């Protein structure tokens, strides 16, 4: 599982050390040498677990899919992004977390008003 690209569909074999990695950044973290770049790449599909090769010089639109299971492995990469959120439900659905700062209108009592009682009695 790659922590750099969250939706990685294939593993790539590095031509320099012959090990499998999900992305070049994973190779850079583990290996003590730079990644050797070649035109012919070896892949393993994460869906069907079968290996295949592709040449980047002859890459066509149909080559975006695994030749064994038709899993599309050329996708826009989803990278982890730090976000700041508050814990709780959506305030539009559950508004118990919100404080209402409006002043409530006091209900007028017709017979006896508690706030005016000390002035009337004394």
């Amino acid at each position: 599982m790659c922590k750099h690209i969250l939706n990685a569909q294939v593993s790539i074999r590095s031509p320099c050390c012959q090990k499998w990695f999900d992305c070049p950044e994973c190779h850079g973290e583990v290996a003590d040498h730079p990644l050797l770049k070649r035109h012919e790449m070896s892949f393993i599909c994460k869906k069907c677990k079968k290996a295949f090769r592709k040449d980047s010089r002859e890459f066509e639109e149909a080559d975006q899919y695994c030749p064994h299971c038709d899993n599309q492995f050329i996708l826009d990469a989803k990278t982890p992004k730090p976000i700041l959120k508050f814990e709780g439900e959506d305030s539009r659905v559950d508004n118990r977390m919100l404080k209402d700062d409006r002043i409530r209108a006091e209900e007028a009592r017709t017979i006896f008003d508690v706030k005016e009682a000390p002035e009337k009695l004394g």
Side-chain angles (χ1 to χ4, degrees):
M1 184 92 181
C2 180
K3 65 181 181 182
H4 306 106
I5 300 174
L6 302 177
N7 61 342
Q9 299 293 313
V10 292
S11 292
I12 304 167
R13 188 172 189 180
S14 66
C16 49
C17 56
Q18 303 298 317
K19 294 181 182 176
W20 295 96
F21 297 99
D22 289 337
C23 73
E25 292 177 24
C26 291
H27 178 271
E29 287 180 356
V30 177
D32 58 349
H33 57 275
L35 182 64
L36 182 64
K37 297 179 182 178
R38 300 267 171 109
H39 291 290
E40 187 172 308
M41 298 177 285
S42 298
F43 300 99
I44 285 187
C45 178
K46 289 188 175 184
K47 185 176 179 183
C48 67
K49 310 287 189 236
K50 293 184 180 177
F52 58 95
R53 290 184 180 191
K54 297 285 181 182
D55 191 355
S56 62
R57 293 173 290 192
E58 301 171 0
F59 209 78
E60 298 176 3
E61 189 173 331
D63 291 333
Q64 295 182 9
Y65 299 92
C66 172
H68 304 289
C69 69
D70 289 335
N71 180 28
Q72 185 177 5
F73 64 91
I74 305 277
L75 300 171
D76 291 334
K78 291 184 182 177
T79 56
K81 296 176 184 169
I83 57 174
L84 181 63
K85 282 186 167 180
F86 65 92
E87 292 184 14
E89 297 293 325
D90 188 6
S91 62
R92 293 171 291 184
V93 176
D94 185 12
N95 59 4
R96 290 179 291 179
M97 293 173 48
L98 301 176
K99 181 182 176 186
D100 191 9
D101 291 331
R102 294 178 291 179
I103 300 172
R104 265 192 183 169
E106 297 181 16
E107 295 177 15
R109 296 186 181 194
T110 56
I111 299 173
F112 181 70
D113 192 7
V114 178
K115 291 188 177 178
E116 295 179 4
E119 296 172 8
K120 290 182 179 178
L121 295 174

